[in-house]
Amino acid sequence: MVVALIPNLDKRGSADMVEKIGMFLSKNGIQAYLPDNISCAYYKLAPENELYKIADVIITIGGDGTIIRYAKRAAAYGKPILGINAGRVGYLANIEQGEYSLLKKLITNEFTTENRMMLSIDVCQNGKVVNTFEALNDAVITSGFISRIIDVSASVDGDTIKYHADGLIASTPTGSTAYSMSAGGPIIDPTAQCICLTPICSHSLSAKPILLDGNRTVVLKATSNKKCDIYLSVDGKKASAVYPNTEIYIKRSQNTVKLLRLNDRSFYKTLSVKFLDSRSE
């Protein structure tokens, strides 16, 4: 068993965890690698891009953003990923920092793998693909200005739905607990295969979130009478400008993220715990 540990050292306690986990893995006969810009005993070093080829499992230390970033890269190589939570919420992380002894289950194969769908996003200008992205959480069209309303159309199999809103979110089930939830979208079982369209601050009382079958392709277009800038963001990162002649094709990706589970804490148990934690803050 070979693992690669990729920590977000900006997160509290993550540096200490790197050393503790390295010592633990070494004692249990698990070979561990770190990115070569981090130095710590108990690890071999390799360029980050090489880690996905070398390792059997990718382990991250950080919040959901950290997991999303590296999970998409791991998915391209078909490698599973395990998240150790060092963030605030941590819906995607399976274990907390104090539970790192569970890593011993990697040797005994006492784990399960949960497949999460991703979105494939093609940005087209005048019928030509100019950018391609993949999203584990969501693709979002919004104005570059606060409270600037835009017109967004979503076409599915030739039928078009129009929104007059601050923007539109196309999310995966994994992303249903992120921006979509904040915008009033439903929480979806993460193993489901569907795409959720959630309008952001719609100016129509009848505009509600819509669930699409995962085999559908949705085409988004956006314009603004105010001539304000419109952008596409993918998993929280600004990805592309959106012009009147821009068409954004969104469908289920052929790649899937494989999340490792070392404990029996279900998605619904995690929801219950996280909701209680957020209410106490």
Side-chain angles (χ1 to χ4, degrees):
M1 170 68 68
V2 179
V3 305
L5 185 69
I6 307 179
N8 181 349
L9 296 179
D10 291 332
K11 296 295 184 180
R12 184 192 309 174
S14 61
D16 289 339
M17 285 305 303
V18 169
E19 185 171 358
K20 290 179 181 178
I21 290 172
M23 184 183 299
F24 179 83
L25 295 176
S26 178
K27 287 182 178 180
N28 286 277
I30 300 176
Q31 178 63 65
Y33 280 80
L34 276 175
D36 59 3
N37 63 337
I38 304 173
S39 180
C40 182
Y42 311 109
Y43 295 90
K44 290 185 177 181
L45 305 181
E48 184 183 305
N49 290 337
E50 294 296 317
L51 296 179
Y52 304 98
K53 302 175 185 178
I54 296 170
D56 300 305
V57 175
I58 307 298
I59 300 175
T60 66
I61 302 175
D64 282 350
T66 302
I67 298 175
I68 289 170
R69 177 182 178 185
Y70 297 113
K72 292 192 290 186
R73 298 179 185 179
Y77 289 88
K79 299 298 177 71
I81 189 165
L82 171 71
I84 299 176
N85 186 36
R88 182 167 170 266
V89 181
Y91 286 110
L92 293 177
N94 182 236
I95 63 176
E96 301 296 323
Q97 294 185 62
E99 299 178 307
Y100 68 87
S101 61
L102 291 174
L103 294 174
K104 193 172 183 179
K105 291 186 175 183
L106 294 175
I107 302 174
T108 56
N109 291 321
E110 297 178 76
F111 58 82
T112 58
T113 303
E114 187 173 283
N115 290 322
R116 300 287 187 94
M117 71 168 280
M118 294 195 294
L119 299 177
S120 176
I121 304 150
D122 288 332
V123 180
C124 299
Q125 301 280 5
N126 298 316
K128 295 182 179 180
V129 177
V130 295
N131 271 310
T132 299
F133 306 96
E134 286 200 331
L136 176 55
N137 262 3
D138 50 40
V140 183
I141 294 180
T142 55
S143 164
F145 297 90
I146 297 175
S147 300
R148 286 291 180 90
I149 306 303
I150 61 176
D151 293 300
V152 185
S153 67
S155 299
V156 183
D157 294 338
D159 295 320
T160 300
I161 307 164
K162 295 184 178 180
Y163 299 93
H164 191 57
D166 282 3
L168 182 68
I169 304 166
S171 76
T172 64
T174 298
S176 70
T177 54
Y179 195 3
S180 178
M181 181 177 70
S182 299
I187 295 175
I188 306 169
D189 187 295
T191 60
Q193 302 291 308
C194 61
I195 301 171
C196 182
L197 298 181
T198 306
I200 305 168
C201 298
S202 173
H203 277 232
S204 171
L205 294 177
S206 61
K208 302 296 181 183
I210 297 175
L211 286 181
L212 304 175
D213 183 272
N215 293 318
R216 302 286 191 184
T217 297
V218 56
V219 184
L220 304 182
K221 298 180 70 175
T223 58
S224 172
N225 292 329
K226 300 289 186 180
K227 295 183 179 181
C228 62
D229 294 331
I230 302 174
Y231 296 100
L232 168 70
S233 297
V234 176
D235 285 339
K237 305 290 186 181
K238 187 180 291 186
S240 177
V242 177
Y243 304 103
N245 63 343
T246 301
E247 291 183 320
I248 300 169
Y249 289 76
I250 298 177
K251 62 182 179 181
R252 180 170 59 184
S253 171
Q254 293 182 348
N255 293 325
T256 59
V257 166
K258 298 179 174 66
L259 293 181
L260 283 189
R261 297 296 180 194
L262 301 184
N263 58 40
D264 58 0
R265 188 184 301 125
S266 71
F267 170 71
Y268 302 101
K269 177 63 175 178
T270 300
L271 274 183
S272 176
V273 171
K274 299 302 181 182
F275 283 170
L276 286 173
D277 286 348
S278 64
R279 284 165 50 185
S280 64
E281 291 178 356

